[in-house]
Amino acid sequence: MNNKPEPIVLVSAIEHYAYCPRQCALIHCDGVWIDNRHTVRGSWAHRRVDSGAHRQERGRRVLRAIPLWSERLGLSGRADAVEIESDSVIPVEYKSGTPHGSAANLQLCAQALCLEEMLGVSVPLGYVWYGGPRRRVEVDMSSALRLEVCRIIQEIREQLTSGTLPIAPNDNRCRECQLEPHCLPGVTNASRRIHQYMRDIVFACDT
Ligand code: SF4
């Protein structure tokens, strides 16, 4: 019988996995981290959020750098901000760039699932604030988005348990990826093709 506890998945891993499963494995299994212009700009943009200073804004209480967890999902992380009004709890995620893909929405939805379990409330929506256009985008916590988050959590947990490093997709994502100097997607893909070629030759000779 395997009594090993299931690994906890970090909320931030969901965004990494949605961007590229190999990036997620490199960061969360292998502990690789390299800053590039995007991560440095993100850290700079986050300095107010990271301060943890709570404020009153437009009639709402805004709590910053709030710890989050879900025992049901085995999740742990932090919300950049949570806006509290008398009848609503709204997570807000801050991104320094522009909207692209669904990674930020998935990360925000994971935060909503944590808040719902922690506080026993319903969290039907949240916001992602983008520093590029300087506007915030509403995210509907739909059933489809929630299911997608749960699926990704399960896949990350399998990745953490197996330690498997996915194949590099070597596509447009790699150009902007902070881990490109470590991952070397072009080289690893080429060596994989050579390995496959050699194996095919050996098997062909055996038969
Ligand atoms: S360089 Fe490409 S393949 Fe490697 S982790 Fe980044 S996005 Fe994924």
Side-chain angles (χ1 to χ4, degrees):
M1 198 169 89
N2 183 4
N3 289 323
K4 277 173 73 174
E6 294 267 275
I8 297 293
V9 173
L10 296 182
V11 170
S12 60
I14 293 169
E15 186 186 22
H16 297 142
Y17 191 93
Y19 185 77
C20 169
R22 183 175 169 90
Q23 186 196 67
C24 182
L26 287 170
I27 293 174
H28 297 277
C29 297
D30 295 359
V32 177
W33 184 265
I34 301 170
D35 276 315
N36 68 1
R37 69 182 196 282
H38 298 302
T39 59
V40 169
R41 198 172 56 192
S43 302
W44 178 252
H46 263 83
R47 66 198 187 285
R48 190 168 77 148
V49 172
D50 291 340
S51 72
H54 308 324
R55 314 164 47 119
Q56 197 75 23
E57 287 178 7
R58 297 185 298 277
R60 295 177 181 150
R61 183 98 177 111
V62 181
L63 310 178
R64 295 210 169 92
I66 298 300
L68 298 174
W69 65 88
S70 162
E71 289 187 23
R72 181 175 70 86
L73 298 169
L75 261 184
S76 170
R78 199 186 68 161
D80 286 344
V82 178
E83 296 182 353
I84 313 271
E85 278 188 283
S86 55
D87 59 350
S88 68
V89 174
I90 300 174
V92 183
E93 175 68 19
Y94 286 78
K95 299 294 178 197
S96 59
T98 53
H100 62 273
S102 60
N105 294 4
L106 291 161
Q107 185 182 8
L108 188 73
C109 183
Q111 295 171 12
L113 291 170
C114 289
L115 286 167
E116 287 183 338
E117 183 178 322
M118 289 164 60
L119 304 176
V121 296
S122 170
V123 181
L125 64 89
Y127 293 100
V128 182
W129 190 92
Y130 290 98
R134 298 193 63 75
R135 69 182 170 89
R136 64 188 207 168
V137 175
E138 184 176 312
V139 178
D140 171 29
M141 303 301 165
S142 65
S143 307
L145 190 62
R146 290 164 185 264
L147 279 174
E148 180 70 355
V149 170
C150 293
R151 183 187 67 76
I152 289 177
I153 291 169
Q154 194 50 41
E155 289 182 8
I156 295 172
R157 186 163 288 119
E158 285 166 18
Q159 197 176 68
L160 292 170
T161 306
S162 67
T164 308
L165 185 62
I167 291 165
N170 194 22
D171 58 20
N172 286 342
R173 287 171 284 181
C174 302
R175 281 206 295 272
E176 303 299 326
C177 176
Q178 65 192 94
L179 299 189
E180 196 275 341
H182 177 92
C183 174
L184 299 174
V187 174
T188 47
N189 268 5
S191 66
R192 188 173 57 83
R193 282 198 301 274
I194 292 166
H195 183 78
Q196 180 69 43
Y197 176 71
M198 297 299 284
R199 217 176 53 175
D200 290 348
I201 289 176
V202 170
F203 281 140
C205 291
D206 280 353
T207 55

